[in-house]
Amino acid sequence: MKCCSMKTGLLFCIMCAFLLCLHKIRQKGSIYHSTSTKNLTILLWNWPFGRKFSLKGDVCWDLYKIPSCRLLDEHSSFPSADVVVFHNREVIQGSQKMPTDLPRPHGQRWAWMSLESPAHNGNLQKFANIFNMTISYRRDADVTIPYGELQFVESEGNLPEDSHMNKTSLVCWVVSNYRNNQKRTQVYNELNAIVPVDVYGRWNKKPLSSDDLLPTISRCYFYLAFENSVAKDYITEKLWKNAYQGGAVPIVLGPPISDYNAVAPTHSFIHVDEFASVRFLGEYLQKLAEDRERYKEYFNWKKHWKVKVSVDWRERLCHICLQYNNLPQNKVYSDLEAWDKAYYT
Ligand SMILES: *[C@@H]1O[C@H](CO)[C@@H](O)[C@H](O)[C@H]1NC(C)=O
Ligand SMILES: *[C@@H]1O[C@H](CO)[C@@H](O)[C@H](O)[C@H]1NC(C)=O
Ligand SMILES: *[C@@H]1O[C@H](CO)[C@@H](O)[C@H](O)[C@H]1NC(C)=O
């Protein structure tokens, strides 16, 4: 008898503890729910390069399924904004004035936003002690907005069986602004002396329409995804869109290999730094194109990854809401110029 009642008592205790737990979880859930329905307000002070997009309706929810995120561009919303975003180009050039004369509401964060490399951001010394956060392609920015990314896909996708087919060029390059003093120009010239490089774009008077871009690249074994500036994490649509979506193996020139490895699958690209000289690179490309099996291995990543190229500023701005709770408290960029120009060569 005694033993049974003890057992019942124990069971009762366990039941009680369980119910208490359940109650707590529900309480927590409701608290979470009530805070998550309060909108965060993101005010975009100036549209990048003056090109406006519609902000009608609940943009972040309607387009990207990001809840409780209000995106506005009317300056009159300044007093109620949680984050005010300034796109660098217009404010550094002075065509847009910042509201430095207005009292900054308590807790409001000012964000500096740019997708340009340091070489094109201008001198940011006058922005000392103004901004609380940075929004850029850099992985160490407060909000990272890469030019593109790979998304994991659970199910094995179908590899293009014929990644070899219809390829008529060994190496292709699309370039609009050709400058002699760039590293990429020097590498191109050296490479072109060893293997033929087909060059398209304004510079070569063979411009490609946007409809022709990817089909043209798809006929090349390799694509020169050469960045115009060499800077930390500066990896643009030349990799994500032109090479990966075009279906050519990217030869990359830009930040160090480790920056690429952090965002792109191994064996999905060839970095010029992997070779002691451009001559070795050229010889490797020639051999690889002749070896069907080894060439195909550079597309294995497609089994598990899908490329996403980012183009819409609204999506980038809505993403601030997803990262808002992880932003550091009371951060001030006392020397934005030093932050921007770090690691720039
Ligand atoms: C949040 O913002 C959206 C979009 O502007 C709006 O439709 C919605 O009513 C707002 N919700 C609250 C609780 O303010
Ligand atoms: C190769 O070219 C032919 C004719 O232009 C086309 O029908 C076919 O779809 C192409 N194959 C691939 C894999 O792009
Ligand atoms: C933002 O930066 C300013 C300095 O410019 C500072 O006074 C303010 O406390 C900071 N706000 C937050 C929320 O970090």
Side-chain angles (χ1 to χ4, degrees):
M1 262 320 258
K2 218 176 170 193
C3 116
C4 279
S5 73
M6 251 178 76
K7 262 192 185 164
T8 322
L10 199 65
L11 205 68
F12 181 73
C13 277
I14 291 172
M15 285 267 291
C16 282
F18 178 72
L19 285 172
L20 202 73
C21 265
L22 212 67
H23 182 66
K24 282 267 187 234
I25 287 169
R26 285 177 66 166
Q27 259 187 342
K28 257 197 171 158
S30 67
I31 289 166
Y32 174 72
H33 190 67
S34 68
T35 53
S36 71
T37 51
K38 188 189 166 296
N39 272 330
L40 267 175
T41 300
I42 311 293
L43 168 60
L44 175 63
W45 193 256
N46 52 302
W47 281 97
F49 312 107
R51 290 195 288 272
K52 277 174 87 111
F53 290 77
S54 164
L55 295 182
K56 279 215 192 78
D58 189 347
V59 175
C60 297
W61 177 254
D62 296 345
L63 298 180
Y64 312 113
K65 292 290 168 276
I66 296 173
S68 312
C69 188
R70 201 155 55 125
L71 187 55
L72 302 170
D73 63 359
E74 298 99 12
H75 288 181
S76 58
S77 314
F78 178 80
S80 64
D82 296 297
V83 178
V84 185
V85 180
F86 300 89
H87 181 254
N88 180 63
R89 174 65 63 87
E90 295 74 34
V91 286
I92 196 75
Q93 290 182 346
S95 62
Q96 287 286 334
K97 201 179 152 313
M98 295 173 66
T100 38
D101 48 338
L102 294 181
R104 219 190 274 202
H106 183 72
Q108 183 181 82
R109 286 179 171 93
W110 285 21
W112 176 87
M113 180 169 75
S114 175
L115 274 177
E116 303 297 308
S117 73
H120 296 103
N121 279 333
N123 187 331
L124 306 177
Q125 268 164 353
K126 66 177 174 190
F127 289 155
N129 291 308
I130 288 187
F131 291 101
N132 306 103
M133 55 189 276
T134 49
I135 306 175
S136 104
Y137 55 78
R138 264 170 63 178
R139 282 175 291 144
D140 62 348
D142 296 297
V143 175
T144 302
I145 50 168
Y147 279 82
E149 61 194 309
L150 294 175
Q151 293 174 333
F152 190 73
V153 280
E154 206 54 64
S155 60
E156 288 220 345
N158 287 327
L159 279 186
E161 203 22 70
D162 38 13
S163 48
H164 237 79
M165 268 177 54
N166 291 358
K167 300 230 180 262
T168 51
S169 296
L170 184 68
V171 184
C172 297
W173 191 28
V174 177
V175 60
S176 311
N177 298 306
Y178 182 97
R179 298 220 181 83
N180 276 321
N181 58 0
Q182 288 176 342
K183 182 180 172 191
R184 64 177 187 177
T185 307
Q186 183 197 329
V187 173
Y188 155 72
N189 279 318
E190 283 181 47
L191 187 63
N192 193 37
I194 298 155
V195 294
V197 179
D198 289 337
V199 183
Y200 300 88
R202 270 207 318 268
W203 169 63
N204 209 25
K205 301 205 171 54
K206 283 202 278 183
L208 289 175
S209 70
S210 56
D211 284 347
D212 288 339
L213 180 68
L214 297 187
T216 303
I217 293 172
S218 76
R219 290 192 288 273
C220 316
Y221 283 91
F222 304 103
Y223 179 78
L224 302 185
F226 284 9
E227 302 299 346
N228 60 15
S229 302
V230 176
K232 179 184 166 58
D233 292 334
Y234 188 64
I235 299 171
T236 68
E237 77 290 340
K238 293 174 176 67
L239 174 71
W240 307 112
K241 181 183 171 194
N242 298 15
Y244 280 164
Q245 289 190 330
V249 174
I251 316 298
V252 300
L253 179 154
I257 299 174
S258 55
D259 281 13
Y260 284 90
N261 280 335
V263 295
T266 49
H267 219 64
S268 69
F269 60 88
I270 295 167
H271 196 296
V272 294
D273 289 355
E274 289 170 49
F275 300 86
S277 75
V278 177
R279 164 164 297 280
F280 289 143
L281 168 65
E283 289 168 0
Y284 180 76
L285 299 183
Q286 249 164 349
K287 283 208 202 86
L288 192 56
E290 286 160 14
D291 188 336
R292 198 183 177 103
E293 286 311 308
R294 273 182 66 214
Y295 179 74
K296 257 172 74 178
E297 284 169 11
Y298 279 89
F299 295 92
N300 279 346
W301 62 274
K302 290 193 173 191
K303 282 184 196 159
H304 285 297
W305 299 96
K306 195 173 84 207
V307 184
K308 178 174 187 292
V309 178
S310 300
V311 286
D312 196 319
W313 287 98
R314 293 173 297 187
E315 181 172 18
R316 299 173 177 135
L317 292 161
C318 292
H319 267 262
I320 298 170
C321 288
L322 296 181
Q323 297 186 36
Y324 185 81
N325 287 329
N326 301 324
L327 292 176
Q329 299 295 323
N330 298 315
K331 186 168 181 176
V332 180
Y333 280 82
S334 59
D335 189 349
L336 189 65
E337 171 70 3
W339 184 84
D340 182 53
K341 302 301 185 286
Y343 319 102
Y344 170 55
T345 54

